[in-house]
Amino acid sequence: MKRRGFLQAVALPCAAACAASSDARFTIEARFYEKLPYKKIKCKLCPRECVIDDRERGYCGVRENRGGTYYSLVYARVCAAHPDPIEKKPLFHFLPGSMAFSVATAGCNVNCKFCQNWDISQVRPEQVASNFLPPKDLAALTRQYQCLSIAYTYSEPVVFCEYVLDAAAAGREAGLKSVVISGGHIQQEPLKKLCGRVDAIKIDLKAFSEKYYKEVVNGELKPVLNALATIRKLGTWTEVVYLVVPTLNDSDEEFRGLARWILSELGRDVPLHFSRFHPEYLLKDLPPTPLPTLERAKAICDAEGLDYVYIGNVAPGHPAENTRCPKCRRVVVERAGFTIRALALDGGKCRFCQHAIPGIWGRI
Amino acid sequence: MRIGPQYGITRRGLLEAGLAGALGAKAATPEKSRVVIARDPGLGAGRSPDSGRVLKLLDRAMQSFYGLDSPLDAWKKLARPGEVVGLKVNCLSGRGASTNPVLVEAICERLRQIGIPAKDIVIWDRLDSDLESAGYRVSSRKDRIRAIGNDTAGYGNELAVYGSAGSLVANTLVRTCDAVINLPVLKDHGIVGVTLALKNLFGAIHNPNKYHINAGDPYVADVNMFPAIRQKVRLTICDALTAQYEGGPSYMPQWSWPYNGLMVGRDPVALDYTGWQILERKRAEKGMKPLRELRREPLYISTAADARHRLGTNDPNRIDVVEV
Ligand code: SF4
């Protein structure tokens, strides 16, 4: 199995740097589950609601029933850690130009056929090298690397939710923000808890059809849409990413349906990123997304009335990487890849026409 | 390694699955897949059956399966000296409903008698801790019979892909063993219906948790198409000493009964179909609903038999069940 280079990309503190030998440190009782007869449990963290026998694990592979009590095996069990530009997440309306200290554990509650990180997301925690990085140490490390936020990313933060909740609290105490990069397969109760602790949630909306979710993602669309609506209702900053896969989720109708749903359920000012697909994992037979397809998606969503539609994962410098003021149409954030070239915002308002641009701009 | 149907099926594989007829006019009447069920009503229930009687039962099953008078001649059909033989046990359920060490001991004895030294026998499953809890002493010393979990032996580097499944496959299967005897237990499974020959091979992959959805269909069949599994698993000996018709895969004594038997077959689909029917009959006898009504009918068994997989037959007319 190939191993992540970025695991070693940061020098973890001495106490955490030894390879994880015993799993006791990473094991805590799960916070969202229900006990059933015969030592079975039902997980209430994500919409799968896995019913799990004693000694078995759920679909995500990182939670285990031990004698009728359910445990997370990935608390502070960090298999990837790296300071990244926040634009890489991508979050474009959130502290632009800042760095986010990004961490992941093993595991995911879906199995996308195009996963770029399958070697950590589709494995069990004991199958990948990990380090022990408890919440306070993570916060300290984030500050040490001069990052303004902690990003829970690369795999699926929902499956290491307990760690996210505690680390976000530790981060907040240390003056840090937290952002979650998720597929949005989560139940309402844990989602509400997350919204109370973190500052932004970016949702990877994989497609706008149940068929695609069933066949390509091994998940469901409906709970993701519900999650987005809840995040928005609770006022947590959110941006949506849509990975465009040639022939599978790239029709005009789907783009239009997506735009209309966002307009009616979330609002016109939710940023939407169309991202380029690269063949990987179980989907190697398709070509990378042609640039015109991404431009077509943007054009459709612009025409439907969304204010902030971006294109990502393309050669740096494409004009659709920039943020334009929807009122005066001037560029207020000019980007080239992950670099901020120019910023024309004052207190979150367009410098040219004073129109408020939604987002968390803060100290830059 | 990516394989598709065009690469995944060898003529040998088809012949071994008893499906030679699919290939040409010469074999117009396909051979039936033989499943031998050997039983000893006096064996006695529990985890410690008489080892001598288990050995005799095993001999009876093997001789009948290969149609030979001598047990050692039968074993010689399976493996030869110089080969490393893996015994894929099923150990998830502790001592109650895992492959019985008494049976495994009997198999090891016969393997040694046909010239396979202890160092060339490997008992394996997913985890060292599962092996220990089922009564196997974990050891990777090469001067004795090894018992080793995939968590220690690791997984191969290449992703095996077939249909909906993509997995890393256990080193013990891919690298260590030349031949594997599959040793499942005759029991119910709360998600995929039953866990027998086909499902036991989930213990050879790194991500079995991903493939229980939709009652394991088509994932169980797809995983069994991985080349290492197709090429190396030579026989299934299903431990039906104690069987379980509900509440599996965990051990539930209230739903277990002494079947006092072994099932032997080379066609995993035929064996699974036959075992499934035994469990359904027991469920009916106990007034329980059929698995179909509980939405856990093991449809993966028919998928394994379909034209895309051809792993064997689930057609009762083409299964020769021999009771001895
Ligand atoms: S979080 Fe994991 S165990 Fe829980 S329901 Fe989802 S996939 Fe199943």
Side-chain angles (χ1 to χ4, degrees), chain B residues 103-174:
Chain B
L103 170 64
V104 174
E105 222 169 89
I107 293 170
C108 291
E109 188 178 330
R110 286 297 182 240
L111 287 172
R112 292 174 72 168
Q113 284 168 348
I114 62 161
I116 298 187
K119 71 175 182 59
D120 287 344
I121 301 173
V122 187
I123 300 162
W124 61 282
D125 201 358
R126 288 189 316 163
L127 305 173
D128 283 350
S129 57
D130 284 354
L131 286 161
E132 292 272 6
S133 70
Y136 298 92
R137 209 173 105 214
V138 169
S139 166
S140 49
R141 276 180 53 175
K142 290 191 177 161
D143 58 343
R144 56 167 69 153
I145 293 175
R146 282 171 275 175
I148 188 162
N150 298 337
D151 53 341
T152 298
Y155 294 88
N157 292 319
E158 283 188 67
L159 200 63
V161 178
Y162 188 89
S164 307
S167 305
L168 301 174
V169 182
N171 278 333
T172 304
L173 174 66
V174 176

Side-chain angles (χ1 to χ4, degrees), chain A residues 1 38 48 51 53-56 58-61 108 110-111 118 122-124 127 218 281-282 284-285, chain B residues 2 92 126 130 133 155 157 159 161 166 168 206-211 213 219 248-250 252 254-255:
Chain A
M1 186 189 307
Y38 304 112
R48 288 191 183 279
V51 173
D53 270 343
D54 187 17
R55 303 165 64 97
E56 290 267 37
Y59 180 88
C60 55
C108 184
V110 293
N111 186 6
W118 70 268
Q122 300 303 324
V123 300
R124 294 175 166 223
Q127 292 165 348
N218 277 295
Y281 188 38
L282 306 177
K284 287 187 175 158
D285 302 340
Chain B
R2 181 146 203 156
L92 184 67
R126 288 189 316 163
D130 284 354
S133 70
Y155 294 88
N157 292 319
L159 200 63
V161 178
L168 301 174
H206 85 288
N207 55 352
N209 46 296
K210 294 291 172 188
Y211 299 138
I213 50 175
Y219 306 100
S250 293
M252 297 285 168
Q254 67 274 40
W255 293 311

Side-chain angles (χ1 to χ4, degrees), chain A residues 87-346:
Chain A
E87 283 75 18
K88 191 178 171 185
K89 301 298 122 193
L91 279 165
F92 276 13
H93 292 226
F94 189 94
L95 307 181
S98 71
M99 297 295 281
F101 194 83
S102 305
V103 290
T105 76
C108 184
N109 55 356
V110 293
N111 186 6
C112 302
K113 287 186 173 163
F114 48 75
C115 186
Q116 303 283 319
N117 291 333
W118 70 268
D119 55 345
I120 58 170
S121 69
Q122 300 303 324
V123 300
R124 294 175 166 223
E126 64 276 17
Q127 292 165 348
V128 64
S130 299
N131 294 77
F132 183 54
L133 192 57
K136 283 200 169 130
D137 291 4
L138 172 57
L141 205 55
T142 304
R143 290 188 71 88
Q144 189 185 316
Y145 276 86
Q146 299 179 328
C147 298
L148 299 187
S149 59
I150 305 169
Y152 311 91
T153 179
Y154 303 136
S155 56
E156 175 48 70
V158 167
V159 307
F160 57 94
C161 182
E162 293 84 356
Y163 180 49
V164 177
L165 288 169
D166 292 359
R172 202 165 265 186
E173 268 180 33
L176 299 164
K177 297 200 183 302
S178 275
V179 303
V180 166
I181 311 304
S182 169
H185 262 86
I186 184 169
Q187 293 215 11
Q188 291 290 309
E189 191 200 335
L191 176 61
K192 285 175 186 166
K193 290 231 157 54
L194 269 184
C195 288
R197 289 272 172 90
V198 306
D199 301 281
I201 301 180
K202 187 215 86 177
I203 294 293
D204 285 305
L205 185 62
K206 319 270 179 180
F208 200 63
S209 83
E210 287 290 359
K211 184 172 180 284
Y212 182 97
Y213 263 85
K214 187 164 186 271
E215 291 172 3
V216 182
V217 176
N218 277 295
E220 282 178 81
L221 170 63
K222 188 87 181 11
V224 181
L225 298 181
N226 290 344
L228 269 167
T230 300
I231 295 166
R232 191 70 174 156
K233 199 167 121 201
L234 295 178
T236 305
W237 181 251
T238 190
E239 301 187 22
V240 177
V241 170
Y242 186 107
L243 183 82
V244 182
V245 182
T247 72
L248 298 184
N249 66 354
D250 62 349
S251 71
D252 288 4
E253 299 70 46
E254 201 162 347
F255 295 144
R256 201 165 288 118
L258 167 69
R260 288 178 183 171
W261 183 85
I262 290 177
L263 265 178
S264 70
E265 302 301 320
L266 305 180
R268 62 185 303 145
D269 56 353
V270 169
L272 170 63
H273 305 249
F274 286 107
S275 188
R276 188 178 206 193
F277 156 86
H278 288 282
E280 189 46 90
Y281 188 38
L282 306 177
L283 214 50
K284 287 187 175 158
D285 302 340
L286 292 172
T289 321
L291 184 59
T293 306
L294 299 170
E295 290 170 336
R296 172 168 56 85
K298 174 173 164 54
I300 289 170
C301 294
D302 283 344
E304 288 294 328
L306 295 184
D307 285 343
Y308 306 101
V309 184
Y310 301 103
I311 286 177
N313 228 357
V314 294
H318 192 285
E321 289 182 324
N322 299 329
T323 303
R324 283 181 182 275
C325 170
K327 192 169 167 213
C328 70
R329 302 306 304 159
R330 304 276 293 270
V331 172
V332 288
V333 185
E334 188 185 341
R335 301 180 183 84
F338 304 144
T339 307
I340 302 297
R341 277 193 176 146
L343 203 64
L345 285 171
D346 289 323

Side-chain angles (χ1 to χ4, degrees), chain A residues 3 7-8 12-26 76-79 125-133:
Chain A
R3 297 288 182 214
L7 179 67
Q8 278 79 37
L12 293 171
C14 207
C18 55
S21 51
S22 127
D23 74 354
R25 290 176 301 168
F26 312 122
R77 192 174 196 161
V78 172
C79 67
E126 64 276 17
Q127 292 165 348
V128 64
S130 299
N131 294 77
F132 183 54
L133 192 57

